[in-house]
Amino acid sequence: MRLHAQTLSSIGSLRGRLTLWFAGLAVLTLLCSGIYVARIAIATMTEAEGAALHASATTAANALATGLREREDEIYLLSQAPHFTKGNLRDIEVLHSLERRRYVHEEYAWLGVTNANGVVLHATGGLLVGQSMETRPWFKAALKGPYIGDVHDAVLLAKLLQGASDDPLRFVDFASPIINRAGQTLGVLGAHVHWRWVTDTVDAAVSGRDGLRSATILIVGRNGAILYPQHLAGGTLPSFASTVGKPHEIVRWPDGKDYLSSNVAVNANTRTDLGWRLVVRKPLELATQPVRDIQLKLTIIGLMTAVLFSFVAYRLATTVSRPIEQLAAAARQVELRSGTPDYPTGRPMREIAQLIHSIQSMTQSLLGKEHELESINSSLEATVDERTQALTRANAELERLAAQDGLTRLANRRKFDERITEAFLASRRSGRNFTLLVLDLDHFKNINDTHGHPVGDAVLRTLATLLTASVRITDFVARYGGEEFAILLTDTDGLQVSLSVAEKIRSSVAAADFPVVGNITVSIGLAASSATDEDPWQIVSRADAALYHAKAAGRNRVSASGDARPGASAHRESPDAP
Ligand SMILES: Nc1nc2c(ncn2[C@@H]2O[C@H](COP(=O)(O)OP(=O)(O)OP(=O)(O)O)[C@@H](O)[C@H]2O)c(=O)[nH]1
């Protein structure tokens, strides 16, 4: 799997691609040129082989034509010899003449002379003497003139001449009329020539020819029937595309194989045209065998060259790709910010050197811009931090101001509302009560009127300080509005304790010496939380009512709401009230 991945990755690399391209191109070029050369070689070879076959066929055809013409002339001249034409065909000289011919030319199987009625008068070996040839084609044809009969199996002589060979005895007939000076036909001179003479003539004409190794020479009759060789005899010549002007061609024979074949007519110019043809054929695969041998060698050489090309291509690709790979690694180093990038050294190609130079410049410019950006970023972060802190401070101040009374620095009414709500909810959860004191300056209007508002303000500030100092740190003091203050006493166990605290406050105020105005007094309304309260405002309402009661009772006193229920009016004043 890992190997597979490595192979894929190396194919995907520039080096791999270049190697593949070079090697592929080499293989393709060699393949194309190999195929082209092979085609030309096959065509040339076929042409040369075909020409050799044609030359052999022509030579054989010419030799056969010459032989046939000589035999025809020989028989004709003999039939015109004086001892034949003088009138006495029974003359013993006639027989001697026949015997001499046969002795000199072994191809003659039989020579004989008939009278005008076809009865054999003389014959070599005395064969068939006295028998009638009246119905034999050669006799009938020769009455009209010199004649050559096509090859045929021996009929009358078959038994008389059959030798050791099993091959059927076959003859070609030659015959010529014997005509005296008066133009009278005296008889016929006939000769049976062994078919073997014909085939030997053909074979002898082409024997020893280099181009004919593995080739077969055939004699074909007028009707296309194969006459020779014996193992093909009886078969039919396949159709040639053209028998004229085309010395050779590739023909599919009845055995299903392709043969390079040459088909030549035997132009004997004899009085009887036998219409024979000579065909020489050679299996195509044997004809082109040398080319295929060369093709195999070319393929092996091509493959070896392709391997060599691939190696050279790999080396070339490595030379080209190495600086690019190093450059890619350097770019990766820049990307990952892993130290100083290692740029390719040495003497790379001009274009690659330019690329390296450009990437170096780009990297420097990029890193410079990045540093610039980083410093801008960090100063921006510092500014944002600073602003955030200022904002936080401003928010805190705003928060404080929103919850603080500007004059006395005590919690304001809004803050008071929050705290009494919290105290109310906590009391509900814990079941522990808290107490609310509502405190109002007595006759404050007079102070303002007599000493002016600034003095009134100073009184309010002093009172605030006094109130804060008079309660526990866990208690809560707020300016409720105007000259009215509210105090929340947490975890109060009973009304009595709360009343004592309120009384202590009241007496502290009454005993204090305020600047300019001297003594002042306050009235205090007190209400304790109750489990029956539905909201904190019910407690405020009871404390207000108690304050009203304290004012009404003469001021400078503490009045407590004894009943939390709405509509209840029972109030208790503190026992220390003046
Ligand atoms: N200087 C000053 N005066 C304030 C401030 N807030 C309210 N006052 C004054 O407090 C006075 C309250 O007057 P009143 O409501 O008549 O009450 P009082 O004069 O204290 O009379 P009783 O409460 O009935 O004893 C008014 O004159 C307001 O102007 C403040 O912040 N500063």
Side-chain angles (χ1 to χ4, degrees):
M1 197 69 186
R2 199 168 146 208
L3 191 70
H4 182 63
Q6 269 181 357
T7 311
L8 276 181
S9 125
S10 62
I11 287 174
S13 68
L14 178 65
R15 192 184 307 200
R17 294 264 171 98
L18 281 175
T19 307
L20 274 181
W21 272 103
F22 274 121
L25 216 58
V27 170
L28 198 68
T29 309
L30 288 167
L31 204 69
C32 289
S33 55
I35 290 171
Y36 181 67
V37 167
R39 283 176 76 92
I40 289 178
I42 285 174
T44 309
M45 193 73 182
T46 308
E47 189 59 36
E49 283 279 327
L53 295 185
H54 182 66
S56 298
T58 306
T59 303
N62 288 341
L64 184 56
T66 305
L68 288 171
R69 204 164 44 245
E70 281 175 0
R71 294 289 79 76
E72 184 193 57
D73 289 347
E74 198 168 71
I75 296 301
Y76 171 71
L77 289 174
L78 187 59
S79 71
Q80 297 305 307
H83 53 285
F84 278 71
T85 58
K86 68 182 180 185
N88 183 14
L89 290 177
R90 289 185 185 276
D91 189 348
I92 196 68
E93 266 309 305
V94 172
L95 178 60
H96 290 164
S97 181
L98 297 178
E99 292 289 5
R100 273 197 301 274
R101 294 287 161 185
R102 185 167 180 276
Y103 180 75
V104 175
H105 297 291
E106 285 184 343
E107 62 267 26
Y108 287 117
W110 180 86
L111 284 155
V113 172
T114 68
N115 62 16
N117 297 321
V119 177
V120 178
L121 301 178
H122 283 301
T124 54
L127 301 176
L128 307 179
V129 174
Q131 291 191 34
S132 174
M133 299 294 128
E134 193 180 13
T135 57
R136 305 296 297 147
W138 60 268
F139 172 77
K140 289 195 282 185
L143 289 176
K144 296 171 196 154
Y147 165 79
I148 303 177
D150 211 333
V151 62
H152 62 89
D153 290 340
V155 183
L156 301 174
L157 290 171
K159 286 181 184 163
L160 301 172
L161 290 176
Q162 185 66 55
S165 170
D166 287 340
D167 287 347
L169 201 57
R170 307 181 83 197
F171 299 136
V172 175
D173 298 338
F174 290 83
S176 185
I178 303 166
I179 302 169
N180 65 13
R181 285 190 187 153
Q184 184 185 3
T185 300
L186 302 177
V188 169
L189 170 61
H192 295 315
V193 174
H194 281 291
W195 173 242
R196 197 177 58 249
W197 165 77
V198 175
T199 60
D200 286 350
T201 303
V202 169
D203 288 338
V206 295
S207 70
R209 281 185 172 245
D210 276 353
L212 280 191
R213 239 175 273 143
S214 320
T216 309
I217 190 156
L218 298 91
I219 303 170
V220 181
R222 183 190 299 280
N223 54 2
I226 297 170
L227 306 175
Y228 173 80
Q230 191 57 38
H231 68 275
L232 295 176
T236 314
L237 188 70
S239 60
F240 280 62
S242 165
T243 51
V244 182
K246 198 164 183 190
H248 56 83
E249 60 187 277
I250 295 165
V251 177
R252 178 149 299 175
W253 284 67
D255 61 2
K257 291 181 189 165
D258 288 333
Y259 290 84
L260 184 60
S261 314
S262 182
N263 183 350
V264 175
V266 180
N267 294 317
N269 289 328
T270 49
R271 290 175 182 82
T272 311
D273 181 16
L274 293 173
W276 287 355
R277 304 190 72 80
L278 275 183
V279 176
V280 183
R281 71 173 197 184
K282 189 172 190 176
L284 190 60
E285 56 182 26
L286 293 178
T288 55
Q289 184 62 44
V291 175
R292 283 211 302 283
D293 292 346
I294 292 171
Q295 211 173 1
L296 181 67
K297 282 177 191 155
L298 274 178
T299 307
I300 293 167
I301 291 170
L303 283 174
M304 285 164 65
T305 313
V307 170
L308 191 70
F309 253 76
S310 303
F311 177 72
V312 173
Y314 179 76
R315 300 290 304 172
L316 268 174
T318 304
T319 309
V320 174
S321 70
R322 185 177 291 134
I324 295 177
E325 285 166 9
Q326 287 172 341
L327 196 59
R332 184 102 182 110
Q333 277 180 301
V334 172
E335 186 189 5
L336 299 174
R337 305 289 185 274
S338 58
T340 316
D342 301 319
Y343 289 104
T345 51
R347 291 166 54 80
M349 281 179 271
R350 196 174 65 233
E351 290 80 0
I352 295 175
Q354 280 172 354
L355 185 65
I356 293 167
H357 178 69
S358 301
I359 288 188
Q360 272 179 318
S361 314
M362 272 168 57
T363 306
Q364 276 169 5
S365 152
L366 189 78
L367 291 177
K369 287 273 184 321
E370 199 176 79
H371 286 141
E372 215 173 288
L373 214 63
E374 273 172 7
S375 74
I376 290 171
N377 240 5
S378 59
S379 86
L380 207 65
E381 275 174 17
T383 309
V384 169
D385 267 2
E386 211 174 282
R387 297 283 155 81
T388 308
Q389 281 173 19
L391 199 65
T392 309
R393 281 196 302 274
N395 273 343
E397 183 61 15
L398 213 59
E399 180 78 13
R400 191 183 62 75
L401 289 175
Q404 200 179 51
D405 172 51
L407 181 67
T408 61
R409 304 287 179 202
L410 289 177
N412 61 13
R413 172 68 181 270
R414 197 172 70 82
K415 189 67 181 171
F416 169 77
D417 288 348
E418 275 178 26
R419 286 297 290 268
I420 195 169
T421 305
E422 286 169 13
F424 174 76
L425 294 174
S427 162
R428 272 197 158 180
R429 274 199 307 276
S430 67
R432 296 172 69 85
N433 290 333
F434 69 91
T435 305
L436 170 64
L437 307 184
V438 180
L439 183 149
D440 190 279
L441 268 162
D442 296 334
H443 301 303
F444 186 58
K445 186 174 182 305
N446 291 344
I447 294 173
N448 273 335
D449 292 348
T450 311
H451 304 288
H453 260 77
V455 173
D457 286 349
V459 169
L460 290 173
R461 278 197 293 269
T462 307
L463 179 61
T465 309
L466 188 65
L467 292 179
T468 306
S470 302
V471 295
R472 287 183 296 192
I473 192 101
T474 51
D475 295 335
F476 174 73
V477 183
R479 187 181 177 197
Y480 195 60
E483 83 288 19
E484 217 171 85
F485 296 84
I487 300 170
L488 283 174
L489 304 175
T490 53
D491 291 339
T492 47
D493 286 338
L495 195 60
Q496 202 55 48
V497 178
S498 301
L499 273 171
S500 309
V501 173
E503 182 51 35
K504 194 183 91 183
I505 293 170
R506 186 204 61 76
S507 58
S508 297
V509 173
D513 184 24
F514 285 79
V516 183
V517 297
N519 294 108
I520 62 165
T521 61
V522 292
S523 300
I524 299 174
L526 181 154
S529 65
S530 160
T532 58
D533 286 331
E534 289 172 3
D535 59 53
W537 318 123
Q538 289 185 344
I539 307 161
V540 173
S541 177
R542 287 203 299 280
D544 271 345
L547 175 62
Y548 178 78
H549 184 78
K551 286 279 185 184
R555 299 185 173 77
N556 190 23
R557 65 193 61 234
V558 176
S559 178
S561 167
D563 189 348
R565 283 171 301 180
S569 60
H571 292 281
R572 252 173 58 188
E573 291 184 10
S574 67
D576 302 329

